[in-house]
Amino acid sequence: MAVLSRIAMIVLAYILACIAASLILTIGTLTPEWDDLTALGMGSLAVWAVVMVGAAVIGGIVMMPALLVIALTEGFSWRSSLIYAALGGVLALSLSYGLDFAGLSGDRENPLMREREVLAAAGIAGGFVYWLFAGRKAGSWK
């Protein structure tokens, strides 16, 4: 019974982490154009719609690598918030760069650098939110 409740908590925490990552990603990418959006009459409902669609996309893309990270942290009972935040950021950046971190790391003129910074922040936020709900008790089912 403890394992089933733990799995339910992991699924809920994963969904909340995807929503948090999507919220950070949406705010980080739309902030420079925020005045244009309000001038068009797009209110908070449209922003939340973008966040929910983004959460579904993030959840689908990140599912398999996140399951690997979740299995490792549960198996080794890692409970540090820094581990979850760091792994979330590394996971987001590795999906962004395609595991070629050295390819564009020093190029500050690259137009994708800001988006990758926002993506790393979204991964860190997602990892931290996951830790808040499920990571603090990792391995407690044993």
Side-chain angles (χ1 to χ4, degrees):
M1 191 62 167
V3 174
L4 293 177
S5 65
R6 185 72 191 146
I7 290 172
M9 182 55 72
I10 288 171
V11 170
L12 175 68
Y14 179 73
I15 291 169
L16 293 174
C18 289
I19 292 171
S22 178
L23 182 65
I24 297 296
L25 191 61
T26 302
I27 290 173
T29 55
L30 290 182
T31 301
E33 291 85 18
W34 206 262
D35 292 335
D36 296 336
L37 291 175
T38 55
L40 291 173
M42 296 181 70
S44 62
L45 183 62
V47 172
W48 280 110
V50 170
V51 167
M52 289 305 159
V53 169
V57 170
I58 289 171
I61 292 173
V62 181
M63 183 177 292
M64 293 309 289
L67 284 176
L68 177 65
V69 168
I70 290 169
L72 285 173
T73 55
E74 286 289 326
F76 289 115
S77 299
W78 292 338
R79 297 180 179 175
S80 172
S81 62
L82 293 175
I83 290 174
Y84 286 93
L87 287 175
V90 166
L91 184 63
L93 283 178
S94 67
L95 291 174
S96 170
Y97 280 102
L99 295 176
D100 183 22
F101 288 113
L104 299 172
S105 61
D107 188 12
R108 293 302 291 174
E109 297 299 321
N110 185 5
L112 295 177
M113 286 306 291
R114 182 179 186 287
E115 283 78 9
R116 288 188 172 135
E117 291 168 355
V118 171
L119 190 62
I124 291 168
F128 185 72
V129 167
Y130 180 84
W131 171 80
L132 280 176
F133 290 96
R136 292 182 298 153
K137 296 184 180 183
S140 64
W141 51 271
K142 294 182 190 178

